Amino acid sequence: MCILKRLSLTIVAMLCSAVANAMELYVAVNGNDAWSGRLPKANSALTDGPFATIERAQKEARQLKADSAVTVLIRGGTHILHKTLVLEPQDSGTADRPVVYAAYPGEQPILSGGRQIVGWQRGTGKLWQVELPEVRSGKWSFRQLFVDGERRQRARSPNTGYHRIAALLPGPPNPRAKPVARDKFIFAAADLQPWDQLHDVNVVLMHSWETSIHPLKSVDTVSNTVQFTAPMKEWWSIGYWEEAQRYYVENAFELLDQPGEWYLNRATGVLSYWPLPGEQMEQIEVVAPVLHELVRLAGDAEQGRFVEYVTLRGLAFHHADWILAPQGNSSTQAAVEVPAAVMADGALNCAIEGCEVAHVGTYGIWFRRGCKDCRIQRNRAYDLGAGGIRVGEAKMAATDVAESCRILVDNNHIYDGGHVYAAGVGIWVAQSSENRISHNDIHDLCYSGISIGWNWGLEANRTHHNVVEFNHVHDLVHGVLSDAGLIYCLGVSPGSVIRNNVFHDIWPYSTPPLGWGIYLDAQCGGYTVENNLVYNTLSGGLMFNNGGHEHLIQNNIFALSANHALWPYNEKRPSTFQRNIVYLTQGELLIPHGQRSLNERLAAQESLGIWDENLYWHTGGADRIRFYRHSLEAWQALGLDRKSSIADPQFADVAAHDFTLQPGSPALRMGFLPLEISGVGLYGDAAWVSEVSHANCPHRPLPPPPPPLTMDDDFEKTPLGATPSRARVSGEEQGASIRISDQRSVSGRQSLRVTDSKDLQPAWEPHFYYEPHLREGIIRQSFDLRFDSAAQLTTEWRDIADYPRNVGPSVSFDGRGQMLVAGKVLAQVPSETWLHIEIEAVLGKDAPRTFRVTLQVEGGERRIFADLPISGVDFRELHWLGFSSTATADTVFFIDNLKFGPVTEKGLLSSFSLSAVALAKEEGCFRANY
């Protein structure tokens, strides 16, 4: 104790001595670079005073820093940066003689990379315009505009929401996605036009967890085809998740059609703006960015040249643009290719503290390569083109010196991002170790809040021993992207900890509808996840997925998930899940897909991991808690959750999101340690802390669970050439396709045409399927079918379990005129003739293991085949309903009037155990010979 006390006093004395001996230089907007820079303001004779530019102060600091610490104090006002402020190794300080660039006490200097635009004149209609000679000459261009400190929208279509791709075009094979064109698509009539200055127009495609931005090469309004200047990179495919993919288009003068929009004509140099109501052009401040990067700490770790002991404090960095390459942008994830307005390489013991980064087109701050022992602390980052803060690189450093590590990212407020690159992340860390991410408040982004790691497999990486604690991450995605997490992790990460955080409210786009609280993706492993509060999520509070392993997940609260609470799925080396509280008001406890992994591990007699001392509750009653399809007792018989229970945890006020445990809570008796969340988020003075707090977050109700999918589709409303609505299509290669056609129909003009190819493998391709998620009752599927003499196809129902244990009703047809169930012929049917088929079965835990088929040949009588066997021993619910062409020849079949859903008509047979005689008397039924 005495030694520590003496050491602390010594450090304080050293710091005071350093401060006392610091040389102060001053910069002011009304200064003069010919002055000494030693005075905070001009003297009365106007012969000396502060410098006018930071660059002049930097030059002077280089001369002084050898003898003393140097602090450059920058007075309030807007300081225009005509070039990036570059701090190099020769700008370094030392531990006892640091170099600081700081705001003058009580003032707020803004370092702006923009230029104020004046000289506006009235244009046509509601527009105001100004001609910019530097733009016309090609010396300047910009992609952002700010009016009175607010971002304005480039001319856009549609003004809100999105257009939808009308149809895809064939393209080269892609190992990661569909073989469709990656540089063009078919658009709906009138959505796009061959606008003037077309080369400046951008299409922005909305993928699941990313966007891509594409300059246009051509727009053909005869074929309704748009083509990009270059294809997107292979990791994305147009129409990967949905063929009617969302997109919007920006930057055509013809789209400037509402207040707040603007357009820059690079050819003429004319900037056009439609003011918002109440804006007076002679009074507002309009700023366009000139620079793309505002500050750079320019060291080189591999060469041993570091920027050391430099601090930026209390400065605001505003107005930086974004760059679009001629081929466009298509990142893998998290806008990983996007730089930052404030960059650092080779920085040691440097700090950015109390600063603000805003009105930029990229990320805010990035400590990229070879940075160590640095701080990013108490900064505000908002109005961001991408995300907030980045540490490390996507590519693993080859040497220790090149790795960025031991970075403190603490007490930052990061919000309002994704304006250009929607996939920007609040805090992104990759190939970087021993960092601490703490007390940050992150909200209102379009993708994940915190992202740690960048390896999808088990390969070696540098992401380990990172601590994520006391963060408040909330209100993300807002229906823009999907497959996101309030915190998202990748890679094997021993020693890493996620603790004492509050994660809540993530609401993704609907296709796919994926958004979790804590998302441990791919083969992520080695995390300790403890003492976190997670609530208000769409997909679940926790996802540990697809080969992830050996996590310790303990003493967390996972509450209020809309669809599923937990996603334990396909772990290679199981994790420990203990002493957690899982609280549901709707949805299911576990994602059903995990049943497959459980079955596989049971069959292989492998460990199921440790699940124990957990408390589960569903406000709909104890019987609503099911472990896949097991009761707690059956689950415990597998060796899981033997000391766990199903009981109300007795939270103080769930409706108000107060998850404090009342004194009599059964969770306390089970050893759960109450969460202390009062210190989560920002800390410091009252003004800083009051910017945002968990206590002031709005209380949003959960959206209702998605209803089961039913279908009544005559294919008349789907555009010709499109895939069937609400279906997932696979195997459209080698000439095979599943498309709406006007070649045949029972009634109306259209049907669904399925074309197979003799060259296509495997034999069950192509196929398409729906995901009904029907769980109980009598379900009927009906459709009209016409096939040629070479056709071979199957329609099948499936549950969520291992194939073929999950197979329910399954009916096949072939061109030889046979209708088959389980390989046995039920009837001879003609090809090139419309058939009407109905398939009925009862779903539920105690449903009979049979189904029936009704067949009617065009112009003929109905024939009913009852008591057909269901072979899949695990089939109880309908989660997959599909059609597969299994031919090995070039062939075609058509489907029309497809329907499926619960049967509600009066007089329907309520039991599938009626005798063949009774069925025959009532409906002329044929009982199959099984």
Side-chain angles (χ1 to χ4, degrees):
M1 178 72 73
C2 294
I3 295 174
L4 289 175
K5 186 174 181 180
R6 287 198 300 270
L7 181 60
S8 298
L9 292 173
T10 301
I11 292 172
V12 170
M14 290 173 58
L15 291 173
C16 291
S17 175
V19 171
N21 295 328
M23 176 64 69
E24 292 184 345
L25 300 173
Y26 301 91
V27 178
V29 293
N30 60 352
N32 188 324
D33 280 351
W35 291 343
S36 70
R38 308 296 175 90
L39 300 177
K41 62 179 181 179
N43 61 18
S44 59
L46 300 181
T47 58
D48 196 10
F51 293 130
T53 66
I54 299 171
E55 289 83 357
R56 178 64 184 88
Q58 178 187 18
K59 182 178 179 181
E60 187 71 12
R62 288 177 176 176
Q63 303 301 316
L64 299 173
K65 69 185 183 68
D67 299 319
S68 69
V70 177
T71 298
V72 178
L73 293 171
I74 304 172
R75 303 296 303 265
T78 299
H79 299 256
I80 303 301
L81 299 177
H82 298 286
K83 60 181 180 179
T84 301
L85 175 60
V86 180
L87 298 169
E88 299 177 290
Q90 56 265 42
D91 295 302
S92 295
T94 63
D96 57 344
R97 293 191 299 275
V99 174
V100 178
Y101 291 79
Y104 187 87
E107 297 184 3
Q108 178 60 79
I110 298 172
L111 280 59
S112 172
R115 167 183 160 183
Q116 187 173 353
I117 296 176
V118 297
W120 294 91
Q121 303 291 325
R122 283 191 176 274
T124 59
K126 301 287 187 178
L127 300 183
W128 286 74
Q129 296 179 319
V130 59
E131 185 176 334
L132 304 173
E134 298 95 330
V135 173
R136 185 179 64 249
S137 65
K139 296 179 180 178
W140 182 30
S141 183
F142 50 89
R143 292 183 167 87
Q144 298 174 110
L145 195 71
F146 304 94
V147 177
D148 285 342
E150 295 181 350
R151 180 182 296 269
R152 292 293 181 259
Q153 174 64 54
R154 284 203 300 178
R156 181 190 194 274
S157 176
N159 288 328
T160 59
Y162 304 96
H163 293 305
R164 294 279 184 168
I165 290 175
L168 306 179
L169 293 166
N174 185 341
R176 295 182 178 90
K178 299 177 182 178
V180 302
R182 301 195 310 279
D183 63 345
K184 55 188 172 183
F185 61 82
I186 304 295
F187 58 87
D191 282 355
L192 300 178
Q193 297 291 332
W195 296 295
D196 188 34
Q197 302 299 309
L198 186 66
H199 57 282
D200 281 341
V201 179
N202 298 157
V203 158
V204 182
L205 286 171
M206 311 299 294
H207 307 283
S208 171
W209 59 85
E210 254 292 358
T211 61
S212 55
I213 307 173
H214 304 278
L216 298 190
K217 179 179 180 180
S218 63
V219 173
D220 185 338
T221 54
V222 176
S223 64
N224 286 347
T225 301
V226 58
Q227 185 165 12
F228 311 150
T229 55
M232 69 176 68
K233 295 179 181 178
E234 285 191 356
W235 49 66
W236 283 114
S237 169
I238 301 176
Y240 181 83
W241 281 105
E242 53 181 351
E243 292 208 352
Q245 186 171 343
R246 300 170 297 154
Y247 74 94
Y248 62 92
V249 59
E250 279 190 330
N251 205 38
F253 177 77
E254 295 87 342
L255 304 179
L256 208 172
D257 58 1
Q258 71 170 5
E261 288 190 333
W262 63 277
Y263 171 74
L264 177 65
N265 188 318
R266 291 198 301 160
T268 64
V270 173
L271 172 62
S272 301
Y273 176 61
W274 186 334
L276 290 173
E279 287 183 341
Q280 303 297 319
M281 293 303 295
E282 63 275 9
Q283 297 176 6
I284 63 176
E285 179 187 66
V286 181
V287 176
V290 176
L291 301 182
H292 304 98
E293 183 181 58
L294 302 179
V295 179
R296 186 187 323 136
L297 277 62
D300 188 329
E302 285 94 337
Q303 297 299 319
R305 302 180 66 252
F306 295 98
V307 179
E308 301 183 66
Y309 293 99
V310 173
T311 294
L312 305 178
R313 179 184 301 137
L315 307 175
F317 302 102
H318 287 186
H319 309 127
D321 213 353
W322 57 283
I323 298 174
L324 184 65
Q327 68 271 22
N329 169 270
S330 53
S331 291
T332 317
Q333 185 171 302
V336 69
E337 297 177 340
V338 177
V342 178
M343 296 287 298
D345 291 310
L348 303 182
N349 297 289
C350 293
I352 300 175
E353 58 183 27
C355 292
E356 176 177 284
V357 181
H359 317 313
V360 301
T362 57
Y363 272 90
I365 300 169
W366 188 359
F367 277 61
R368 181 172 56 185
R369 187 171 185 82
C371 300
K372 292 177 174 62
D373 302 303
C374 296
R375 293 183 294 112
I376 307 171
Q377 199 163 22
R378 201 188 182 281
N379 301 288
R380 181 189 301 109
Y382 69 98
D383 190 15
L384 306 161
I389 295 170
R390 299 183 66 177
V391 175
E393 301 178 272
K395 184 178 180 181
M396 185 173 70
T399 61
D400 290 346
V401 73
E403 177 192 339
S404 287
C405 62
R406 301 192 299 276
I407 309 297
L408 174 65
V409 183
D410 177 68
N411 199 23
N412 300 286
H413 187 191
I414 302 168
Y415 62 102
D416 187 24
H419 288 287
V420 179
Y421 306 94
V425 169
I427 297 173
W428 182 94
V429 178
Q431 303 297 354
S432 179
S433 62
E434 300 180 80
N435 303 291
R436 181 177 169 218
I437 314 299
S438 57
H439 288 285
N440 302 286
D441 201 296
I442 302 169
H443 60 96
D444 291 299
L445 305 173
C446 301
Y447 186 51
S448 297
I450 299 174
S451 179
I452 311 290
W454 202 252
N455 292 78
W456 279 258
L458 300 175
E459 60 271 17
N461 75 89
R462 290 181 174 272
T463 308
H464 58 85
H465 292 88
N466 293 299
V467 176
V468 181
E469 60 184 1
F470 297 105
N471 299 284
H472 180 210
V473 185
H474 57 105
D475 297 287
L476 296 183
V477 188
H478 302 295
V480 177
L481 295 177
S482 183
D483 203 358
L486 291 158
I487 181 170
Y488 174 92
C489 301
L490 284 168
V492 180
S493 189
S496 291
V497 180
I498 302 169
R499 66 189 176 204
N500 303 311
N501 303 281
V502 174
F503 300 116
H504 67 89
D505 284 280
I506 182 167
W507 307 113
Y509 175 61
S510 60
T511 308
L514 301 177
W516 293 276
I518 299 174
Y519 186 175
L520 308 176
D521 195 16
Q523 298 195 49
C524 178
Y527 272 89
T528 295
V529 179
E530 60 186 5
N531 304 329
N532 301 285
L533 170 59
V534 186
Y535 68 91
N536 268 31
T537 60
L538 183 72
S539 304
L542 174 68
M543 154 70 111
F544 43 118
N545 172 46
N546 195 29
H549 58 278
E550 296 177 330
H551 303 297
L552 172 60
I553 302 163
Q554 63 183 4
N555 214 85
N556 304 281
I557 295 175
F558 300 106
L560 303 179
S561 295
N563 297 340
H564 301 91
L566 307 174
W567 282 56
Y569 181 46
N570 196 28
E571 288 194 285
K572 300 302 184 186
R573 296 190 292 277
S575 297
T576 295
F577 186 83
Q578 65 184 15
R579 212 169 59 250
N580 300 285
I581 300 174
V582 186
Y583 184 95
L584 297 90
T585 58
Q586 63 186 57
E588 305 294 329
L589 174 63
L590 302 176
I591 179 67
H593 295 288
Q595 179 72 54
R596 299 173 182 170
S597 177
L598 178 68
N599 290 344
E600 290 170 359
R601 303 196 75 82
L602 288 171
Q605 297 183 336
E606 295 176 346
S607 170
L608 301 178
I610 299 172
W611 288 60
D612 216 353
E613 299 177 309
N614 299 298
L615 184 67
Y616 303 97
W617 184 243
H618 196 302
T619 56
D623 60 348
R624 291 290 304 275
I625 295 291
R626 306 291 292 180
F627 300 84
Y628 305 119
R629 296 195 183 145
H630 301 284
S631 66
L632 177 59
E633 292 75 17
W635 184 250
Q636 290 172 330
L638 299 176
L640 301 168
D641 275 315
R642 286 181 172 171
K643 297 179 183 178
S644 300
S645 63
I646 299 175
D648 187 344
Q650 301 178 24
F651 292 129
D653 189 348
V654 174
H657 297 159
D658 182 352
F659 297 95
T660 304
L661 294 172
Q662 298 184 55
S665 169
L668 297 174
R669 294 194 298 271
M670 298 176 66
F672 187 89
L673 301 177
L675 304 185
E676 178 51 64
I677 65 170
S678 60
V680 166
L682 305 180
Y683 65 90
D685 61 82
W688 176 247
V689 172
S690 65
E691 284 198 3
V692 61
S693 71
H694 179 244
N696 296 329
C697 286
H699 299 155
R700 295 183 175 85
L702 291 179
L709 175 65
T710 61
M711 185 61 57
D712 186 353
D713 196 351
D714 60 6
F715 305 110
E716 297 297 322
K717 296 179 181 179
T718 307
L720 278 173
T723 56
S725 173
R726 308 294 299 273
R728 297 284 288 167
V729 172
S730 176
E732 290 192 303
E733 303 175 51
Q734 303 292 330
S737 64
I738 301 174
R739 298 285 159 168
I740 305 301
S741 166
D742 59 0
Q743 187 176 348
R744 297 277 191 276
S745 68
V746 174
S747 59
R749 297 183 176 181
Q750 298 182 173
S751 66
L752 181 65
R753 173 183 167 130
V754 179
T755 305
D756 203 346
S757 166
K758 67 179 186 305
D759 299 319
L760 182 62
Q761 292 294 327
W764 42 264
E765 294 282 26
H767 75 277
F768 69 99
Y769 64 94
Y770 303 86
E771 296 178 313
H773 300 305
L774 294 163
R775 300 179 184 277
E776 59 185 6
I778 302 174
I779 307 301
R780 176 187 293 160
Q781 171 195 5
S782 65
F783 57 95
D784 296 313
L785 172 67
R786 181 187 181 109
F787 53 85
D788 67 23
S789 59
Q792 187 168 310
L793 65 126
T794 297
T795 183
E796 192 164 271
W797 300 11
R798 296 179 189 173
D799 203 333
I800 296 175
D802 300 322
Y803 186 87
R805 295 169 60 96
N806 63 342
V807 173
S810 180
V811 182
S812 299
F813 302 84
D814 65 29
R816 293 177 294 174
Q818 298 181 137
M819 182 175 77
L820 306 97
V821 168
K824 295 187 178 182
V825 177
L826 291 186
Q828 292 294 135
V829 292
S831 60
E832 304 294 354
T833 301
W834 282 107
L835 313 174
H836 179 73
I837 313 296
E838 295 179 5
I839 302 171
E840 296 176 10
V842 180
L843 304 180
K845 177 183 176 182
D846 299 318
R849 311 296 301 151
T850 58
F851 70 102
R852 75 174 186 178
V853 174
T854 301
L855 167 67
Q856 186 173 16
V857 179
E858 185 176 17
E861 296 182 354
R862 289 166 56 88
R863 301 172 63 190
I864 298 176
F865 302 86
D867 293 334
L868 303 174
I870 291 175
S871 60
V873 296
D874 290 332
F875 179 80
R876 295 291 183 274
E877 301 171 356
L878 178 55
H879 294 283
W880 189 100
L881 187 155
F883 291 81
S884 175
S885 177
T886 56
T888 56
D890 295 334
T891 184
V892 172
F893 65 87
F894 296 87
I895 296 171
D896 206 352
N897 301 314
L898 173 61
K899 302 178 183 181
F900 57 80
V903 176
T904 58
E905 302 102 290
K906 275 189 173 183
L908 182 82
L909 295 174
S910 60
S911 171
F912 280 62
S913 61
L914 297 177
S915 69
V917 174
L919 284 167
K921 286 181 179 179
E922 185 165 350
E923 292 186 291
C925 176
F926 294 81
R927 180 170 180 146
N929 183 23
Y930 285 95

